[in-house]
């Protein structure tokens, strides 16, 4: 693991640390053998005073994280599929895309988004370094390169006559240690008249909604409009539009191109970020105590329920869930199992805390009293899927932005 002493974006050494979550395992490396020890690595976050990028202060090699066993498959999230379908329809209409166009998605995963372009007759190419999801995409008929995206690959594609009318990079820029190389590659691959849309969780939502569980080694950076604007300018690209969406707890979609006219949305976000202090370290310094408050409240709630003899399971074997449980020190003595729809995760154990992962059917088979929804960003979807669990008297718990008990869809009953 490498210590980061200079900003990944601008190279400044003026990094101000503001949050430590302790030593964490590689959070997407699910466990199959309980006798094997897991390495743990420091997880700390800092703010760059020069360009405002929020980033990890320690770096694991990407090859260690996105390995052959990487378990994230986007197609198991219905809300994400619907969000992606709408994104595709909007781009096809706005950019007049058709059979002579070229769409490239970076971090295309299992083809969850490109499938909608393909169905509309728009030529596509996916790029993703994780072999498992990429293979699923290829089986859907979506051409996918199993590689990391960088300037070398971009130049190779251009040499083959491939340039993009649209590049999509959804939920990937946070995963890139070499930000400048990645954006340089976008600038190379993009046609002069093309655009790129880049979507990531918004660091303002992360801070203000206490979403510390979205911080893990796989997410090297946490983005703001100010930081993205500085990064794009460095590579001759223009950030010309910003849109906010509720997906993943609050995300921004950045529209980028060459020689584009900057729209009012960009100016509005830049002004607002300055007004509330997001371009200064003071905005972030209390985040550690706010994360600790969530942890203590969740532990107190679960301890009270266990003292009453209540049985508790969880839903969503996602990275954010594993971070929450590891940070709080919650193991199988409190949470009986974690249910997840993804068959690639079932039969394994969450890293660090070693809680077994089971199919969702186990929820009704055992009918625990409470279900801790670890994927709080999809809580409404989970609660709809588990309506029978609720009908039988089961209740839901969410921990973000603050621990609460829910009963029925989005009905808050306790705090």
């Amino acid at each position: 693991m490498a210590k980061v002493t200079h900003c990944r974006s601008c190279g400044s050494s003026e990094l101000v640390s503001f949050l430590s979550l302790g030593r964490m395992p590689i959070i997407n490396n699910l466990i199959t053998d309980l006798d094997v020890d897991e390495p743990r690595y420091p997880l700390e976050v800092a703010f760059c005073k020069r360009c405002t990028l929020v980033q990890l202060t320690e770096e694991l090699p990407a090859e260690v994280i996105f390995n052959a066993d990487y378990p994230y498959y986007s197609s198991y999230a219905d809300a994400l599929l619907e969000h992606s379908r709408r994104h595709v329809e909007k781009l096809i209409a706005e950019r007049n895309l058709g059979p002579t166009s070229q769409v490239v998605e970076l971090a295309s995963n299992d083809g969850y988004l490109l499938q909608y372009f393909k169905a509309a007759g728009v030529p596509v190419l996916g790029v993703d370094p994780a072999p498992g999801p990429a293979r699923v995409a290829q089986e859907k008929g979506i051409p996918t390169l199993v590689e990391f995206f960088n300037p070398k690959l971009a130049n190779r594609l251009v040499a083959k006559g491939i340039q993009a009318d649209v590049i999509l990079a959804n939920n990937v820029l946070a995963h890139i240690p070499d930000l400048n190389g990645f954006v340089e590659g976008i600038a190379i691959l993009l046609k002069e008249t093309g655009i790129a849309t880049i979507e990531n969780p918004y660091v303002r939502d992360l801070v203000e909604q206490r979403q510390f569980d979205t911080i893990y080694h796989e997410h090297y950076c946490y983005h703001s409009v100010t930081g993205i604007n500085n990064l794009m300018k460095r590579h001759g690209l223009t950030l010309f539009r910003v849109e906010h969406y509720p997906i993943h707890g609050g995300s921004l979609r950045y529209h980028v191109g060459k020689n584009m006219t900057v729209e009012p949305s960009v100016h509005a976000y830049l002004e607002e970020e300055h007004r509330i202090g997001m371009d200064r370290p003071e905005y972030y310094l209390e985040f550690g105590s706010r994360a600790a408050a969530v942890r203590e409240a969740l532990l107190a709630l679960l301890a009270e329920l266990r003292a009453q003899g209540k049985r508790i399971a969880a839903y969503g074997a996602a990275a954010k869930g594993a971070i929450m449980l590891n940070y709080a020190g919650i193991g199988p003595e409190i949470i009986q199992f974690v249910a997840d729809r993804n068959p690639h995760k079932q039969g394994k154990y969450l890293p660090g805390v070693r809680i077994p992962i089971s199919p969702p059917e186990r929820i009704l088979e055992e009918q625990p009293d409470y279900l801790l929804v670890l994927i709080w960003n999809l809580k409404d979807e989970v609660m709809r899927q588990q309506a029978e669990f609720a009908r039988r008297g089961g209740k839901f718990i969410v921990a973000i932005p603050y621990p609460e008990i829910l009963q029925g869809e989005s009905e808050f009953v306790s705090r």
Side-chain angles (χ1 to χ4, degrees):
M1 191 166 200
K3 180 72 175 177
V4 175
T5 58
H6 292 77
C7 175
R8 290 177 173 84
S9 181
C10 72
S12 170
S13 60
E14 296 183 275
L15 300 180
V16 180
S17 295
F18 64 88
L19 171 69
S20 174
L21 295 177
R23 299 181 68 85
M24 291 281 178
I26 300 176
I27 221 66
N28 267 317
N29 279 9
L30 302 180
I31 302 303
T32 56
D33 185 351
L34 294 178
D35 293 327
V36 174
D37 290 333
E38 299 169 75
R40 290 178 176 259
Y41 306 95
L43 188 56
E44 185 177 307
V45 194
F47 171 83
C48 175
K49 293 174 69 175
R50 181 190 293 174
C51 77
T52 78
L53 180 67
V54 173
Q55 56 202 290
L56 298 188
T57 62
E58 305 276 349
E59 184 174 302
L60 278 172
E63 294 81 3
V64 174
I65 297 171
F66 301 101
N67 56 31
D69 296 321
Y70 186 69
Y72 181 72
Y73 291 72
S74 300
S75 293
Y76 292 102
D78 295 340
L80 179 59
L81 291 177
E82 177 62 16
H83 176 72
S84 302
R85 183 187 63 78
R86 292 178 180 177
H87 187 185
V88 168
E89 290 176 352
K90 186 176 181 181
L91 282 170
I92 289 174
E94 286 188 353
R95 306 301 298 178
N96 194 28
L97 301 176
T100 61
S101 306
Q102 179 66 64
V103 171
V104 178
E105 185 181 12
L106 312 178
S108 49
N109 200 258
D110 60 6
Y112 74 103
L113 184 147
L114 289 182
Q115 64 184 341
Y116 299 113
F117 281 114
K118 183 175 183 292
V122 179
V124 299
L125 174 66
V127 180
D128 198 292
R135 184 167 52 252
V136 172
Q138 292 164 347
E139 291 168 354
K140 295 176 181 176
I142 297 169
T144 305
L145 300 176
V146 188
E147 299 186 47
F148 287 97
F149 181 72
N150 52 37
K152 183 178 179 181
L153 174 56
N155 279 314
R156 200 169 83 226
L157 292 173
V158 171
K160 292 181 178 180
I162 298 174
Q163 278 196 287
D165 295 281
V166 171
I167 295 175
L168 298 107
N170 291 348
N171 300 301
V172 60
L173 206 59
H175 299 72
I176 304 299
D178 180 14
L179 283 176
N180 288 297
F182 191 84
V183 176
E184 180 187 347
I186 290 176
I188 292 168
L189 187 59
L190 199 62
K191 290 181 180 178
E192 288 300 312
T193 56
I195 69 161
T197 65
I198 299 167
E199 194 171 305
N200 280 289
Y202 188 21
V203 72
R204 178 178 181 177
D205 291 314
L206 183 152
V207 170
E208 296 185 358
Q209 297 296 314
R210 304 183 180 97
Q211 297 169 2
F212 65 88
D213 56 345
T214 60
I215 295 170
Y216 41 98
H217 297 113
E218 188 176 310
H219 289 167
Y220 300 99
C221 303
Y222 305 84
H223 296 287
S224 65
V225 178
T226 305
I228 289 288
N229 192 46
N230 291 329
L231 175 62
M232 295 303 154
K233 282 182 178 180
R234 196 175 301 120
H235 297 280
L237 296 172
T238 301
L239 172 62
F240 68 89
R241 181 189 303 164
V242 180
E243 299 170 315
H244 188 276
Y245 292 91
I247 194 81
H248 297 310
S251 296
L252 291 185
R253 182 179 296 161
Y254 307 96
H255 296 249
V256 174
K258 301 176 180 180
N259 304 311
M260 303 293 290
T261 300
V262 179
E263 298 179 4
S265 59
V266 177
H267 299 300
Y269 269 97
L270 291 173
E271 291 168 6
E272 177 67 5
E273 289 185 355
H274 177 68
R275 185 188 70 81
I276 65 174
M278 288 179 63
D279 54 358
R280 299 180 292 280
E282 290 77 16
Y283 176 83
Y284 303 91
L285 291 178
E286 294 184 2
F287 192 46
S289 60
R290 298 175 78 189
V294 171
R295 175 183 61 190
E296 299 310 313
L298 179 62
L299 284 170
L301 173 60
L302 296 180
E304 179 183 350
L305 295 176
R306 290 291 291 157
Q308 296 171 7
K310 304 299 184 181
R311 293 171 298 118
I312 307 168
Y315 195 103
K320 59 169 52 70
I323 287 288
M324 175 65 72
L325 297 177
N326 276 279
Y327 178 61
I330 297 169
E333 72 284 353
I334 297 176
I335 304 293
Q336 294 177 293
F337 63 91
V338 178
D340 199 286
R341 291 173 63 191
N342 186 343
H344 302 279
K345 297 183 177 184
Q346 294 164 8
K348 300 178 181 179
Y349 298 82
L350 282 181
V353 291
R354 308 296 182 94
I355 299 173
I357 303 169
S358 301
E361 290 76 14
R362 187 174 174 183
I363 296 170
L364 294 183
E365 290 170 1
E366 300 192 12
Q367 190 62 31
D369 300 293
Y370 290 86
L371 199 59
L372 174 60
V373 182
L374 296 170
I375 46 174
W376 46 262
N377 55 313
L378 299 173
K379 69 177 177 63
D380 289 339
E381 179 179 321
V382 171
M383 293 168 72
R384 283 193 298 271
Q385 292 172 4
Q386 296 302 320
E388 178 61 19
F389 164 76
R391 191 190 68 78
R392 296 182 184 183
K395 297 179 182 178
F396 303 91
I397 302 170
V398 292
I400 299 292
Y402 199 79
E404 299 187 86
I405 296 175
L406 314 174
Q407 185 175 18
E409 190 170 330
S410 297
E411 179 187 349
F412 292 80
V413 299
S414 177
R415 180 158 188 156

